[in-house]
Amino acid sequence: MLFAHLVEYFEKLESTSKRLEMFSILSELFQRVEKDEIDKVIYLCEEQLQPPFRGVEIGMAEKLVERAIARAAGTAESTVRERYNALGDAGLVAEEFLSQPSTGAPLAVATVYEELLQISGTSGEGSVDRKIGRLADLLSRSNAKEARYITRFVVGNLRLGIGDPTLMEALSKAIAGDRSLRPTLERGYNICSDLGLVAKTLMNQGIAGIERLEAHVGNPIRMALAERLTRAAEIVEKLGRCSVESKYDGLRCQVHKNGNRIDIFSRNQERMTDMFPDLADAARTHLVAEQAIFEGEALAMNEETEEMQPFQVTVQRKRKHGVDQMAKDFPLSLFAFDLLYRDGKDLTKQPYEDRRNQLDEIIRPGGRLRLANRIVTDDTEEIELFFDENISHGLEGIMAKKLDSPYQAGARNFNWIKLKRSYKGELIDTVDVVLVGYFLGRGMRVKFGIGALLGAVYDDQHDTFRTIAKIGSGLTEENWVKVRQMLDEGRTEHKPARVDSLIEPDVWTTPTYVFSVLADEITKSTMHTCNRNSEGVGFALRFPRIKEWVRVDKKPEDATTVTEIVKMFAQQKGGGAPK
Ligand code: ATP
C-alpha cells in the first residue's frame, strides 16, 4: 500500500468524532492492506513502531525534528522554530515547509515503516546527527501531507485515539464481514500482547492460527483481574474451598526468565526491568527453572522489621534515573502468586492449584523473592480471621482464588475475588477514571485556568469512555497546574471519537491519564453517560475526590469499567464493612 493512501485514512480517522465511523474507516483500510504489511499498519494505527513491551522508541525530541525539517527544506533552523512557535504542531510545520511535490517514487507504507524503525535503532556515537539525516531524507522524499503525519508520528503526536478493541472489530469485519471474530482475536491478543502479530497471523493462517497462539517467554501475557465482594461468606458461597492470599498493595509484575535473561513487565505490559535491578537479580538466583513466566506483587519492605511500606513509596521506583539509590533506600520484595509457564510448557490452562504448587516448587526460599502468604479453606470464620490478621499487618485485604480455575489472560471474573478494607462511609473501592476534559476555573481557581475534571469509566464492550464524574477536589494548587499542563498536551478540537458525553467541558483531551477517585457513593444521574438507559438515567459518583493521581500502571482501557460500576452500585446497597 502506498503511504499516501494510509495518510488519507489517517486524515479521515482524525476528523471523526464518532466511534462507529472510526470502525468503518478502519475495516475499509484493512481490506485494502496486503498480508505482509498488516502488522505495520496496525502498529502505526496504535501510534507505535512495536508493541510497548519491546521498548522501541524513536528517541527524537521536537528540537531534533525541527532540525530535520530545516535540513529537508533547505532552510534555517530558526525559521522552522519560528513557525513552530506560531503553529504549535510540528506536523503542520513540516507540511508547510515541504509543500513542494516530491520528485522521487511514491513512498510505500513498508518503506516509511522500515525507515522509522532504522531511526529508532540508530545508536552510539554520532547517532543524533544520523537520526536527523535519516529523517530529513525521508521527509524530502515525502509529499506535504505525508510529511505532516510522519512528523507527528515521530514526535508522538499522531493522536488518532483508536482503541485496540476497535482495531480488532475492524479486522474481524475486514476478514469475516462482521464483528464475530473479536472474542477469538481478543484471546490471541491477551496471550501475546502484540496486535500486529495477531493481525498477521489472522491474515496468513486464518482464525485457526489465532487459536493456536500460546504463551511465549518474552511476550507479556495480559493480566488476569479480580472481581470484588464485600463479605467473606459471599466468597465461600461463590468459590467453596478456595485459596485465600494476602493482598499486597504494590506494583504488579510479570517476570519472564529465559536462562540468564530476565524481563519484568508492568500491569500495562510495559517493560520495566531496568527499574527493578534487585528483583531481576532475585529472579535470576532464586528460581529453579531455565524458563519461566510468573507473577507477583513488588512492594517496598523493610527486611528486618518486615514492615510493608505504603504504595506511594513503592511507586517511586517507576523512574528512569536514580534507580540504584532508590533500590538502596527502599529495597523491594516480590511476593509471587502465580506461575504461567515453566520450561517449555504453557501452564495457563492448568488449574490454579497446580500452577501454585509448581510455583512453590521452583522458588528457592530466601532473598527478595518470596511466596505470597496463603491459606486454603472453605471456612468463613477462618477467612475473616486471615483478613483481620492481614489488615493488622498493614495490608490491603485478601485475594481469594478458585482452585480449579485456569489463568484467564486479560479477563476480570470470579476466578479471583478481592476483599478490601472498606473506607468508612464510602464506596467499597476506589474508582479509576480516565480524564477526557476539563473545565476552566471559577472563583479562586481562575488563576490556574482549571477548576474541575471530567472523568469517565471504560465501556469495554463498545470500546468507549462514558462519563461518571466532574471532579473538583483532592489536588493541591500546584498539582492542579500540573494536571492542566498534562491535559493541554492532549487537547483536541472536538470530542474524541471514543468519548460518550452529554456534558461539554471547556477543553476536550485525548483519554490518556487514569486517576483513582474516592467517592461517597454511586448515584443515579441524568447528567452522565455511564450505563445510561433509554430513559436517560445513568450513574454518577457522589462527592468524588482524587485519591491518587496518574495511575502510571494503567492505560485508559484499564480504568474501572461500566460493568464494574453496575456491580459496585448493587453491592453498596447491601454493602458495608466486609464482615
Ligand atoms: P485491578 O488491578 O483489579 O484493575 P487495582 O489496580 O485498583 O485494580 P486492586 O483493586 O487494589 O488494584 O487489586 C488488584 C491488584 O491487587 C492486582 O492487580 C495485583 O496487582 C494486586 N495483588 C496483590 N496481592 C495479590 C495476590 N495475592 N494475588 C493477585 N493479585 C494481587
Side-chain angles (χ1 to χ4, degrees):
M1 174 179 245
L2 289 182
F3 189 64
H5 290 153
L6 182 60
V7 157
E8 280 169 22
Y9 284 96
F10 281 176
E11 233 186 337
K12 285 189 208 161
L13 288 163
E14 191 182 56
S15 63
T16 181
S17 59
K18 297 194 186 79
R19 190 191 80 100
L20 275 182
E21 222 169 85
M22 190 174 242
F23 161 74
S24 319
I25 299 167
L26 286 166
S27 57
E28 192 194 304
L29 165 65
F30 296 153
Q31 272 168 353
R32 290 184 61 185
V33 169
E34 300 290 330
K35 279 182 186 173
D36 59 349
E37 61 190 5
I38 182 70
D39 50 344
K40 302 174 183 76
V41 171
I42 290 278
Y43 296 139
L44 294 174
C45 286
E46 290 183 308
E47 305 178 29
Q48 61 192 17
L49 279 176
Q50 289 277 293
F53 66 86
R54 298 215 188 276
V56 172
E57 276 175 26
I58 296 211
M60 287 188 80
E62 262 149 22
K63 277 246 154 60
L64 303 191
V65 174
E66 280 170 13
R67 270 156 70 184
I69 298 172
R71 206 179 286 185
T75 186
E77 220 180 298
S78 55
T79 325
V80 174
R81 179 138 336 124
E82 230 168 73
R83 288 306 290 153
Y84 179 69
N85 290 340
L87 295 171
D89 173 355
L92 293 181
V93 177
E95 185 169 12
E96 199 173 278
F97 281 100
L98 299 160
S99 56
Q100 296 298 325
S102 114
T103 47
L107 288 167
V109 169
T111 315
V112 175
Y113 178 86
E114 290 305 333
E115 270 305 315
L116 293 173
L117 206 56
Q118 291 287 342
I119 293 174
S120 77
T122 306
S123 62
E125 210 177 309
S127 61
V128 170
D129 206 54
R130 274 182 286 138
K131 280 184 186 223
I132 296 172
R134 277 206 114 105
L135 181 60
D137 179 57
L138 180 61
L139 290 175
S140 61
R141 284 154 63 199
S142 59
N143 66 34
K145 214 167 261 176
E146 289 171 329
R148 184 209 297 175
Y149 288 96
I150 291 173
T151 307
R152 281 191 186 158
F153 184 88
V154 171
V155 296
N157 206 7
L158 204 52
R159 283 207 215 131
L160 300 174
I162 312 167
D164 288 337
T166 301
L167 287 172
M168 285 187 258
E169 285 186 357
L171 270 172
S172 170
K173 175 97 169 77
I175 298 293
D178 57 26
R179 297 168 206 235
S180 60
L181 304 183
R182 175 175 162 183
T184 314
L185 295 177
E186 226 154 31
R187 266 198 303 282
Y189 182 41
N190 286 340
I191 207 82
C192 67
S193 303
D194 182 344
L195 202 51
L197 173 68
V198 169
K200 200 168 181 171
T201 309
L202 177 70
M203 291 267 195
N204 288 297
Q205 301 170 31
I207 202 73
I210 304 288
E211 280 156 1
R212 282 193 298 270
L213 286 173
E214 279 208 329
H216 183 85
V217 182
N219 276 51
I221 298 168
R222 297 187 18 113
M223 295 181 182
L225 301 169
E227 284 279 358
R228 322 174 164 74
L229 283 176
T230 53
R231 290 181 177 78
E234 290 173 326
I235 292 184
V236 175
E237 222 169 85
K238 197 104 198 168
L239 304 184
R241 192 174 160 74
C242 58
S243 172
V244 183
E245 299 175 355
S246 299
K247 183 174 184 310
Y248 303 91
D249 190 14
L251 288 170
R252 180 132 172 213
C253 293
Q254 193 178 86
V255 184
H256 289 227
K257 178 179 194 286
N258 197 355
N260 235 351
R261 183 186 168 119
I262 302 288
D263 286 306
I264 303 180
F265 299 110
S266 66
R267 166 83 166 69
N268 52 358
Q269 292 84 45
E270 273 172 16
R271 183 192 299 271
M272 43 180 198
T273 322
D274 295 344
M275 299 171 195
F276 299 125
D278 39 358
L279 297 184
D281 269 351
R284 225 171 259 125
T285 50
H286 282 76
L287 208 61
V288 194
E290 255 316 286
Q291 289 183 314
I293 303 177
F294 73 96
E295 276 190 10
E297 191 85 353
L299 196 67
M301 191 180 81
N302 181 328
E303 252 185 28
E304 273 155 37
T305 60
E306 302 239 323
E307 191 194 346
M308 316 255 177
Q309 304 280 356
F311 178 74
Q312 284 71 16
V313 174
T314 304
V315 80
Q316 288 184 51
R317 187 63 83 80
K318 285 209 96 182
R319 54 169 68 203
K320 284 204 171 131
H321 306 289
V323 170
D324 289 341
Q325 191 56 42
M326 277 304 290
K328 273 195 200 119
D329 294 346
F330 297 107
L332 300 183
S333 293
L334 183 60
F335 292 88
F337 52 72
D338 212 323
L339 182 65
L340 314 185
Y341 188 93
R342 179 184 181 183
D343 292 328
K345 196 157 184 258
D346 179 344
L347 301 181
T348 54
K349 296 195 179 90
Q350 305 284 328
Y352 161 80
E353 188 61 352
D354 177 41
R355 299 197 310 274
R356 174 68 202 232
N357 287 338
Q358 294 205 42
L359 180 71
D360 294 0
E361 268 171 43
I362 67 166
I363 287 193
R364 201 184 294 142
R368 300 239 144 243
L369 186 55
R370 296 162 173 247
L371 285 159
N373 203 9
R374 71 161 186 163
I375 56 170
V376 177
T377 183
D378 58 0
D379 184 279
T380 305
E381 258 176 55
E382 211 180 326
I383 297 179
E384 285 172 354
L385 270 175
F386 187 67
F387 178 87
D388 289 344
E389 204 180 291
N390 277 285
I391 297 295
S392 66
H393 281 105
L395 290 150
E396 254 201 318
I398 52 174
M399 192 66 108
K401 297 183 177 172
K402 191 165 177 229
L403 293 178
D404 61 0
S405 62
Y407 184 93
Q408 276 183 287
R412 188 186 296 279
N413 56 35
F414 284 99
N415 286 342
W416 291 11
I417 301 174
K418 53 192 175 191
L419 184 62
K420 289 198 204 175
R421 180 189 39 174
S422 70
Y423 304 95
K424 227 173 157 220
E426 290 159 352
L427 265 186
I428 59 160
D429 203 353
T430 46
V431 174
D432 293 331
V433 303
V434 189
L435 304 186
V436 297
Y438 70 82
F439 303 86
L440 302 175
R442 280 202 219 120
M444 286 280 288
R445 295 259 175 82
V446 164
K447 62 174 189 260
F448 308 133
I450 182 168
L453 305 164
L454 184 58
V457 285
Y458 183 53
D459 177 344
D460 52 347
Q461 280 316 300
H462 300 95
D463 191 18
T464 298
F465 299 98
R466 305 201 195 271
T467 73
I468 190 163
K470 203 171 152 180
I471 312 146
S473 67
L475 284 177
T476 59
E477 295 192 347
E478 191 188 337
N479 286 343
W480 275 110
V481 176
K482 280 194 194 148
V483 169
R484 202 196 75 207
Q485 283 163 353
M486 281 156 46
L487 296 184
D488 278 345
E489 273 173 32
R491 200 180 173 123
T492 53
E493 290 311 312
H494 55 76
K495 181 184 74 58
R498 289 194 296 153
V499 174
D500 174 27
S501 177
L502 299 168
I503 301 172
E504 178 94 9
D506 293 314
V507 176
W508 287 112
T509 180
T510 313
T512 309
Y513 299 106
V514 177
F515 282 26
S516 285
V517 168
L518 251 183
D520 278 11
E521 58 175 339
I522 297 167
T523 54
K524 294 200 168 157
S525 154
T526 52
M527 299 281 289
H528 290 286
T529 52
C530 167
N531 202 46
R532 191 163 190 262
N533 61 19
S534 53
E535 279 142 40
V537 181
F539 284 136
L541 297 180
R542 195 167 123 90
F543 298 136
R545 51 219 176 261
I546 291 159
K547 167 114 190 309
E548 199 190 309
W549 68 297
V550 200
R551 287 286 310 253
V552 282
D553 55 340
K554 291 206 166 181
K555 288 190 292 195
E557 292 80 8
D558 296 323
T560 302
T561 61
V562 172
T563 321
E564 287 180 86
I565 295 290
V566 172
K567 287 186 188 149
M568 285 166 83
F569 178 75
Q571 283 173 340
Q572 73 183 6
K573 288 191 166 164
K579 277 209 283 178

